[in-house]
Amino acid sequence: MNPQSCVNIQKEWDIVGARQLGRDIARKIGFGTVDQARIATAISELARNIYLYAETGQICFEVIDNMDHKGISMVAIDNGPGIDDVSKVMEDGYSTSGGLGAGLPGVKRLMDDFDLQSEAGKGTRIKAVKWVR
């Protein structure tokens, strides 16, 4: 198990910090520029959701280095209001913030593995993994 690097998300500027850290890790483990951009976009979306809806939370990164696979795991955790209707937020074009609506479905498309767990009133945990091709 590799050590985790975490970024606390409390203010808008933290979104940039999380994005930069994730992109740096991705570059170091061998992702090309296109996948680095995909990862950075996914991080931005996850961090922005924490900032907008939960106010505080964190994104943790971990390098996955199995014998045949190398990748980056990102876990976004918050203790915010949670998501009432997970299937609704996973619909393309759905947006509660008036944004572009790429949202969580966009994160799922950009990454290889995606897992969302949320409980109303308790918070949300999203894990996303991208594998080096």
Side-chain angles (χ1 to χ4, degrees):
M1 196 70 135
N2 292 299
Q4 282 190 340
S5 302
C6 297
V7 176
N8 289 320
I9 308 295
Q10 295 168 324
K11 49 191 186 295
E12 199 164 9
W13 188 248
D14 296 334
I15 298 167
V16 176
R19 189 179 160 99
Q20 287 174 335
L21 178 62
R23 188 186 272 261
D24 286 349
I25 293 168
R27 183 176 31 80
K28 284 179 186 153
I29 62 173
F31 282 101
T33 52
V34 172
D35 276 339
Q36 287 174 39
R38 287 184 178 119
I39 290 164
T41 301
I43 294 164
S44 290
E45 192 62 47
L46 295 173
R48 185 164 304 286
N49 282 353
I50 291 171
Y51 174 72
L52 288 176
Y53 303 113
E55 295 179 15
T56 65
Q58 66 177 191
I59 297 186
C60 295
F61 303 98
E62 192 173 353
V63 173
I64 304 167
D65 197 355
N66 302 342
M67 282 181 274
D68 55 344
H69 261 60
K70 193 181 249 192
I72 186 170
S73 167
M74 311 181 306
V75 179
I77 304 169
D78 68 63
N79 296 315
I83 299 169
D84 287 329
D85 189 345
V86 170
S87 61
K88 185 147 189 101
V89 301
M90 291 308 294
E91 290 173 11
D92 276 323
Y94 177 77
S95 172
T96 54
S97 67
L100 295 175
L104 296 176
V107 173
K108 186 175 182 178
R109 271 194 305 274
L110 290 165
M111 304 298 283
D112 296 319
D113 301 326
F114 179 90
D115 178 59
L116 188 160
Q117 297 167 359
S118 189
E119 194 175 332
K122 299 228 171 148
T124 302
R125 180 186 187 275
I126 298 172
K127 180 177 181 179
V129 176
K130 187 79 173 164
W131 299 105
V132 177
R133 303 259 177 266

